[in-house]
Amino acid sequence: MTVTATPPAAPAEATRGTRLARRAFLARELGIGLALILLVAVTYAVNPRFLSAQNVKDLLLGSTILAILAVGQAVVVVTRNVDLSVGSVLGLSAFATGTVFVASPGLPIPLMLLIGTALGAVLGAVNGGLIAAARVPALVVTLGTLYMFRGLDYMWATGKQVNAADMPAAFLRMGTATVLGVPVLALFAVAVLVAVGYYLRHYRGGRELYAIGSDPAAARLSGIPSGRRVCFAFVASGALAGLAGVLHAARFGTIDANAGQGIELNVVAAVVVGGVAIFGGSGSVYGAALGAVLLTTIRAALPVLGVNPFWQDAAVGALILAAIGLDRALSARVGRSLRERTAHV
């Protein structure tokens, strides 16, 4: 009697697997937090100035932009895709910010934040549209748009740069200002993290992104509009990269066409290290943001510990490989647990 009900049961099994994976990856996020605490404690023991007010501020500022990009990337990765164009979107948005402010110095800062976010969303829609409509792999599409968007940035800049002296003073102050000792830019990252995390956990559209990543075929059978949801994920990633571009301009002031170049690899690393399964379906934006903080802290701590620059990169690479290995081990464990539960039903 129940044999003919196999297609409807698949989403239920995927949901059960997602719950198991969520618990497993929560434990992993706690492990990342403990690793971060241990790293800070060891570095502080070697050099107590590592936790000086200024150094903590620099760490928060250093991880802010990476964390925002990682949150957007996590939304894409949970759908079993990847967005390699985020660095180019950031660079295009940052240069657009500087150019607009040079032309209109009196433009309200909130409006500039909206313009940068909207520009990123449009570029993300290009990625999402090509992937969802043409069914081209995300890796291929976003690798192409990485170069295409960067090329547009170079064409626009034509070798010029926007100097900090040409930017509004209030906008530049936002890049270094603090509220109760916490940088304003870090508050942007926290707001983005909470909003996206709440959406993914409590809204149907967010839960459907996980269902797509867990089992794309089962998601389609259950009536989930996979194409639209995947396109939305890329729009969200692009929008957050556009916002990060505006914040990058506020922090550094001087902008050229190379802004954000190469950061996409660090973003993917932060997401993987943060416990978001590279094969989709599990993980959280909180873990991705924690991974961004951990990577930033590693790069700041290892020179203090006297580690050779070569070994700094090697340590980050080893951490990524370990995270992928742990991801596969956890996935296998979740799969076994799910099979055992199914066998007992």
Side-chain angles (χ1 to χ4, degrees):
M1 178 190 311
T2 58
V3 175
T4 57
T6 300
E13 291 180 7
T15 302
R16 209 159 40 234
T18 300
R19 287 198 297 268
L20 289 171
R22 188 174 294 151
R23 287 198 292 270
F25 280 86
L26 176 60
R28 179 173 168 179
E29 289 169 9
L30 292 175
I32 296 167
L34 291 175
L36 178 61
I37 293 172
L38 179 62
L39 175 63
V40 170
V42 170
T43 311
Y44 176 77
V46 173
N47 186 350
R49 288 182 296 177
F50 184 71
L51 288 183
S52 66
Q54 183 59 46
N55 205 44
V56 170
K57 178 183 175 182
D58 291 340
L59 282 174
L60 289 174
L61 285 172
S63 59
T64 290
I65 292 172
L66 184 60
I68 292 175
L69 293 173
V71 168
Q73 187 73 242
V75 175
V76 171
V77 172
V78 296
T79 67
R80 206 176 286 195
N81 289 288
V82 67
D83 185 357
L84 297 180
S85 68
V86 290
S88 299
V89 175
L90 181 151
L92 199 53
S93 175
F95 192 79
T97 298
T99 303
V100 169
F101 269 134
V102 168
S104 305
L107 190 74
I109 294 175
L111 181 57
M112 190 65 248
L113 291 168
L114 289 175
I115 292 173
T117 303
L119 174 61
V122 170
L123 299 177
V126 172
N127 286 331
L130 290 172
I131 292 163
R135 298 187 182 279
V136 180
L139 181 65
V140 175
V141 169
T142 58
L143 183 61
T145 54
L146 179 156
Y147 291 109
M148 184 178 75
F149 297 157
R150 185 65 65 181
L152 290 174
D153 201 1
Y154 280 124
M155 286 177 59
W156 190 1
T158 59
K160 296 180 294 187
Q161 68 177 24
V162 178
N163 297 312
D166 301 323
M167 306 272 266
F171 180 68
L172 295 177
R173 281 197 300 270
M174 185 183 76
T176 56
T178 60
V179 176
L180 300 177
V182 179
V184 170
L185 298 191
L187 296 179
F188 275 98
V190 171
V192 166
L193 177 63
V194 171
V196 176
Y198 186 86
Y199 174 80
L200 290 178
R201 185 172 181 82
H202 296 284
Y203 280 80
R204 177 179 177 179
R207 294 192 297 271
E208 287 178 347
L209 294 177
Y210 282 97
I212 293 168
S214 296
D215 192 331
R220 285 193 296 271
L221 286 173
S222 63
I224 293 175
S226 299
R228 272 208 315 271
R229 292 289 181 254
V230 169
C231 186
F232 165 79
F234 279 94
V235 170
S237 178
L240 292 180
L243 173 63
V246 180
L247 300 182
H248 183 279
R251 184 187 174 200
F252 295 103
T254 300
I255 305 297
D256 60 21
N258 293 311
Q261 192 166 35
I263 198 173
E264 54 276 342
L265 299 181
N266 289 329
V267 174
V268 174
V271 170
V272 173
V273 169
V276 181
I278 196 66
F279 297 102
S282 63
S284 74
V285 292
Y286 302 105
L290 192 59
V293 176
L294 178 60
L295 289 184
T296 303
T297 306
I298 287 174
R299 294 194 178 278
L302 292 185
V304 176
L305 297 175
V307 178
N308 184 284
F310 167 79
W311 292 111
Q312 293 175 32
D313 292 336
V316 173
L319 186 61
I320 294 170
L321 293 177
I324 293 174
L326 182 58
D327 173 25
R328 299 307 298 154
L330 287 174
S331 298
R333 181 178 177 182
V334 169
R336 284 195 302 271
S337 299
L338 183 58
R339 286 193 296 271
E340 290 170 2
R341 291 191 178 196
T342 303
H344 289 306
V345 173

